[in-house]
Amino acid sequence: MNKVDLLDLLNSQEYISGERIAEKFGVTRAAVWKGIADLKKDGYVIESKTNNGYKLIKSFDILNGYEIKSRLKDKNLGFDVIYKKITESTNSDAKKNAGENNMIIAAGEQTSGRGRYGRSFLSQNGGLYFTIKICRSNNFYKTEDITFYPLIMAVAASSAIYDLCGVNLCIKWPNDLLYNTGAGYKKIAGILTEASVQAENRDISYIIAGIGINVNTGEFDGDLKNIASSLKIIAGTDFDRADLLCAIAENFMNLVDSSRENLLEQYKKRLLTGMNISFAQNGHEYKGTAHGINENGNLLAEVDGKIITVQSGEIHFI
Ligand code: BTN
């Protein structure tokens, strides 16, 4: 009898007696008692009533492999799932994993969370950190379309966050998710997308899209407090991270299969425009206004009355 078997059984019944559980798995009553105690240690609430037995109360925000897998099961997205309570970086784990199936690697904490441009990403307990690794390339996303993946993750996550948490986030090009506090913007989530492309034929071996979301994290310390916030701070309540992960993964796969027009339309609805920005391109520093994006997802910035296309890099609000 392992934890998964026991959880499945408890989930399938209203009440079940210790005797019945022991019988079902061919174990002793003491082993059942220990199994129940272990689940309670993991955060599950299990009621026990004389004459009725054990009842699993619907769990809330328990982030583990069982919760992620069981919720993803109905969605039929075909992901292998790896969950680690703590890891260095789910993107690094995804790169090292030699599996050939699409997979999700999630963690409750990261000790060396990686951000864009070699920066670190603070990944404390209470947040949601995961990476979607797409190993099978499909017709639409060829090598030249690789830059659409960060946009896909930005749309997938912001719509799931709106649907499940009621928090409306905007996208700072290309893929920071920000909240407008009324007195400025604060970062809620960051996305790091990486890929491996074969040199001989430019085929994509895999795409890795990692996201870190400040879900149930408390107030940040020091300077971070002014630039970052969490869904919990905004909404005043905790959210179920396994539910959020599954909704994002489902949106992500739907967007991978949908048209580029649909993706860009949804992206534009949340894209921040009209802001004064600065950015670097070909060794020059520019100051201008974020105008929108083109059909390739590149930023269009207005600088001294002219439109400049920004293909990569990042922008700063002035
Ligand atoms: C950024 O804001 O610069 C991007 C941050 C991306 C963080 C996520 S958390 C999950 C995945 N694993 C990592 O090491 N990084 C990404």
Side-chain angles (χ1 to χ4, degrees):
M1 178 191 71
N2 59 32
K3 274 187 193 176
V4 170
D5 296 335
L6 185 53
L7 275 169
D8 275 340
L9 183 62
L10 290 169
N11 263 320
S12 70
Q13 318 268 326
E14 172 80 354
Y15 276 99
I16 183 160
S17 68
E19 198 181 341
R20 183 93 186 82
I21 300 175
E23 212 176 83
K24 258 205 126 46
F25 295 122
V27 296
T28 61
R29 292 288 298 278
V32 172
W33 187 87
K34 184 172 177 310
I36 297 283
D38 283 347
L39 290 181
K40 285 183 176 170
K41 253 189 241 154
D42 288 348
Y44 289 98
V45 179
I46 299 167
E47 208 178 80
S48 43
K49 235 185 197 172
T50 340
N51 300 328
N52 284 335
Y54 298 107
K55 178 185 181 177
L56 178 67
I57 308 296
K58 195 177 164 6
S59 64
F60 175 74
D61 195 38
I62 296 181
L63 190 62
N64 62 31
Y66 176 81
E67 294 299 326
I68 297 170
K69 280 180 205 164
S70 56
R71 284 165 222 211
L72 275 177
K73 213 188 214 162
D74 300 340
K75 300 189 190 286
N76 272 325
L77 300 174
F79 284 114
D80 289 348
V81 175
I82 297 174
Y83 173 80
K84 295 180 175 182
K85 206 166 174 207
I86 186 159
T87 189
E88 284 184 5
S89 151
T90 56
N91 267 30
S92 303
D93 289 342
K95 272 188 185 173
K96 282 180 223 151
N97 192 295
E100 289 183 355
N101 283 341
N102 292 349
M103 69 175 73
I104 291 180
I105 303 190
E109 241 177 286
Q110 295 182 124
T111 51
S112 304
R114 295 194 285 114
R116 298 179 73 216
Y117 299 101
R119 288 187 292 249
S120 62
F121 185 82
L122 181 67
S123 311
Q124 49 196 4
N125 191 15
L128 173 61
Y129 314 100
F130 73 96
T131 298
I132 293 181
K133 182 175 184 183
I134 304 288
C135 296
R136 301 186 209 111
S137 53
N138 57 51
N139 293 336
F140 174 42
Y141 284 96
K142 301 201 177 16
T143 309
E144 54 273 26
D145 294 318
I146 236 168
T147 50
F148 284 100
Y149 276 91
L151 279 57
I152 289 179
M153 186 53 113
V155 173
S158 50
S159 358
I161 288 170
Y162 182 68
D163 291 344
L164 269 64
C165 314
V167 177
N168 214 349
L169 298 180
C170 32
I171 302 172
K172 177 183 170 230
W173 186 88
N175 59 9
D176 273 349
L177 301 188
L178 309 183
Y179 178 69
N180 186 354
T181 64
Y185 291 92
K186 288 192 176 178
K187 181 158 164 167
I188 306 299
I191 294 166
L192 178 65
T193 313
E194 301 173 271
S196 162
V197 177
Q198 287 167 27
E200 311 87 54
N201 52 13
R202 297 183 75 238
D203 273 357
I204 300 172
S205 303
Y206 61 75
I207 297 274
I208 282 174
I211 183 163
I213 312 173
N214 305 326
V215 182
N216 299 328
T217 26
E219 203 61 83
F220 290 89
D221 292 333
D223 288 348
L224 267 183
K225 192 177 173 160
N226 301 321
I227 54 168
S229 188
S230 74
L231 296 173
K232 178 187 175 138
I233 297 169
I234 296 164
T237 183
D238 283 317
F239 295 103
D240 189 297
R241 287 168 292 166
D243 276 351
L244 197 53
L245 182 155
C246 296
I248 296 172
E250 187 174 25
N251 288 348
F252 188 96
M253 292 315 278
N254 285 339
L255 286 163
V256 166
D257 285 339
S258 90
S259 68
R260 190 187 291 190
E261 289 71 30
N262 173 51
L263 168 67
L264 293 178
E265 194 185 307
Q266 294 199 48
Y267 183 87
K268 279 178 196 165
K269 281 189 198 154
R270 296 192 180 271
L271 179 68
L272 271 173
T273 53
M275 315 283 298
N276 290 330
I277 53 165
S278 68
F279 59 93
Q281 184 148 273
N282 303 328
H284 289 97
E285 271 292 324
Y286 293 95
K287 283 197 171 98
T289 317
H291 197 72
I293 49 165
N294 66 11
E295 68 285 1
N296 295 318
N298 303 142
L299 182 75
L300 301 173
E302 192 175 327
V303 178
D304 300 329
K306 281 196 196 118
I307 296 292
I308 294 189
T309 307
V310 190
Q311 287 183 1
S312 60
E314 57 183 351
I315 57 170
H316 303 280
F317 293 154
I318 315 178

